[in-house]
Amino acid sequence: MNIFCNYSILRFLPYLETGEFVNIGVVLFASNGDFRFKIASKRQRVTRFFDKLDAKIYISARNEIDEELARLSTFFVKHRENQSIQLATFKHLIQPRETMMRFSDPGTIAAGNTQSALDQLFEHYVNHSFASKEYEEKILERQLGNLLASANIKQRYKEEKLGNTDYSVKFPFVLLHQDRAVQALKPLHLAHDEPGKILEHGDAWVARVKRLQRAKKLAQDTLFIASAPPAGHHKLTRAYEDIVAHLEEIETVRVIKKDLPDQKILGAIEEGLPQTSH
């Protein structure tokens, strides 16, 4: 049987002047009387976004709202048989407030289990479960496609699988000349928030490219346009640089950063083309 759940997203908004916020948690009130909440335990995603903010300010605000919601959980259990009081309390909780911790307008979903509903909402709104590496790279591919179109060269490229009948790898932008892959362009998302994720995703592409190289099916020039982790995070940067080094060890493979100016990216693309293909 489906349970109807009202929910609201907890947001951290330290600067009223800009209106910028980060989603940090979810509160949920269900038709069966359950009240649940979940707040992100890690502070890095907040302090990275608000890089000039003293982390102690966020930690203090997070602890205060966590204590408030814990007290409310006890209240909801005590008044479980009186949903009118529960609903009024939930509405009062999420009403607009002039503090750093604010709640979004409420939403409603149907679920078979309130904890599963809470976890699903938390993964979506806080952990951005929809933003997988495939999702991120689709965004990068769209941006690269727009850049190629602005330079009036997108029509020369097409999505193509390189390889043979036993093994092939799809590249979003491949320039062919007489059925030979002259150049392959691949946006690569390496701006993950954990070194392990960077290494895992990067290693997969290192392995793919090496396999194509052994089969003599690499393009004459393979250019990865990689998104890098933010500066100042040494473990992430080391993982990124390790992947770049392994890719660039492969003959005819190059890597540039995605945040270069457009003209430099276009220049790097042109640099890899033989004169006959310009």
Side-chain angles (χ1 to χ4, degrees), residues 164-224:
N164 51 38
T165 55
D166 295 323
Y167 184 79
S168 63
V169 178
K170 183 162 62 176
F171 286 83
F173 302 100
V174 177
L175 176 62
L176 297 173
H177 180 65
Q178 296 179 348
D179 294 327
R180 175 76 172 103
V182 173
Q183 186 178 63
L185 308 176
K186 169 59 185 171
L188 184 61
H189 176 60
L190 294 178
H192 301 282
D193 57 1
E194 295 178 15
K197 292 180 181 179
I198 295 174
L199 294 172
E200 180 182 358
H201 186 44
D203 283 344
W205 273 98
V206 170
R208 288 170 188 149
V209 173
K210 284 185 174 179
R211 187 174 292 276
L212 290 177
Q213 182 193 44
R214 289 195 297 271
K216 298 184 175 10
K217 293 297 182 180
L218 264 183
Q220 294 176 28
D221 176 64
T222 300
L223 179 64
F224 286 93

Side-chain angles (χ1 to χ4, degrees), residues 87-142:
L87 182 58
T89 302
F90 183 76
K91 288 181 177 179
H92 178 74
L93 169 67
I94 66 173
Q95 69 182 4
R97 52 172 75 186
E98 295 298 318
T99 66
M100 288 186 286
M101 293 294 184
R102 305 189 179 199
F103 291 93
S104 71
D105 291 337
T108 304
I109 62 169
N113 179 279
T114 54
Q115 185 61 49
S116 296
L118 179 71
D119 291 340
Q120 177 186 338
L121 291 166
F122 186 86
E123 287 303 311
H124 183 83
Y125 287 103
V126 179
N127 285 341
H128 298 167
S129 57
F130 58 87
S132 63
K133 58 182 179 292
E134 291 82 7
Y135 176 89
E136 298 289 352
E137 286 184 356
K138 283 297 180 185
I139 294 175
L140 296 178
E141 287 175 14
R142 186 161 60 246

Side-chain angles (χ1 to χ4, degrees), residues 12 27 34 40 42 44 53 65 73 78 83 86 106 115 155 159 176 181-182 196 202 219 235 251 264 271 277:
F12 179 63
V27 293
D34 278 356
K42 294 182 180 180
Q44 286 84 352
L53 180 76
I65 192 70
S73 293
K78 182 179 179 180
Q83 286 209 5
Q86 287 185 318
Q115 185 61 49
Q155 67 276 10
E159 185 178 88
L176 297 173
V182 173
K235 290 182 179 180
E251 190 177 0
K264 287 197 174 183
E271 179 185 324
S277 298

